Amino acid sequence: MNPVRWLGLAVLLAIVCFSTWKVDAWRYGKQLADIRKEFADYKSDIATAATKASEDARAIEQQRQRDIKKVRTDAAEQKQKDDALADLQRADAGRLREQIGHLLADKGILNTRLAERGKTIEDLADLLAELRSEADGYAGELAAALTASRRAGFACEASYDAVSIADR
């Protein structure tokens, strides 16, 4: 074989090797570009999911805050109603005490009238009137305390329900 053929064969072999190397580089470049595109899409999907999760969490928290605010508003309205009812009951108790006072003041007149008929009123009527007056006062205080406790319990229960329902 002559040197020109060897040189031609060497050049041909070099061209084949270079072509193979270029084709492989092109394939790997395309694969790398595909992998980079997939990775960019993956990062974009994660960022979108994170943004959506953040917005969902913010919406849930805002809903919880609205629910708790509604519970507070309802509790305040119920307190106003309860306070108005308690004031009415106190006024009624005051009128009742006033009537008992008038009855006790008129006791002398009643004793005189009953004595004319042959009957007497003993101190038992005074004791019963005082006991009734004190019982009414204590009942009013207990009712106010019970109403406040009941209102606080309902507000607590409503707050818990608002938060626990939002978790489901």
Side-chain angles (χ1 to χ4, degrees):
M1 267 191 125
N2 109 23
V4 173
R5 282 186 175 180
W6 281 108
L7 185 62
L9 189 59
V11 170
L12 183 62
L13 186 61
I15 290 173
V16 167
C17 286
F18 181 74
S19 298
T20 303
W21 179 73
K22 274 305 215 184
V23 167
D24 284 344
W26 176 74
R27 283 184 190 160
Y28 291 136
K30 183 167 175 26
Q31 287 176 349
L32 184 61
D34 289 344
I35 290 171
R36 284 184 179 164
K37 182 181 181 305
E38 288 176 14
F39 183 68
D41 291 344
Y42 174 74
K43 284 188 348 184
S44 174
D45 291 345
I46 288 176
T48 302
T51 302
K52 184 177 182 329
S54 175
E55 289 172 357
D56 290 346
R58 189 175 300 119
I60 289 170
E61 181 61 26
Q62 288 173 349
Q63 182 61 41
R64 286 182 179 168
Q65 291 296 327
R66 282 192 298 269
D67 291 344
I68 289 172
K69 184 177 180 181
K70 183 180 183 309
V71 167
R72 286 182 183 151
T73 302
D74 292 346
E77 289 174 1
Q78 186 63 43
K79 182 183 181 323
Q80 287 177 346
K81 290 176 185 177
D82 292 343
D83 289 346
L85 181 61
D87 290 341
L88 183 64
Q89 289 172 345
R90 283 188 200 102
D92 288 344
R95 283 192 295 275
L96 184 61
R97 285 189 192 104
E98 187 178 312
Q99 288 176 356
I100 290 171
H102 286 287
L103 287 174
L104 290 175
D106 292 341
K107 179 182 142 191
I109 297 170
L110 286 173
N111 269 335
T112 306
R113 286 185 184 168
L114 289 174
E116 291 173 359
R117 295 182 184 169
K119 298 179 182 176
T120 60
I121 296 179
E122 298 180 12
D123 291 334
L124 183 59
D126 291 339
L127 179 63
L128 289 175
E130 284 184 40
L131 286 176
R132 171 144 179 146
S133 177
E134 288 179 19
D136 284 341
Y138 289 138
E141 291 174 17
L142 289 174
L146 180 63
T147 301
S149 174
R150 180 178 158 268
R151 181 177 53 250
F154 284 148
C156 181
E157 183 180 352
S159 295
Y160 177 79
D161 288 344
V163 172
S164 66
I165 288 172
D167 284 339
R168 292 180 198 159

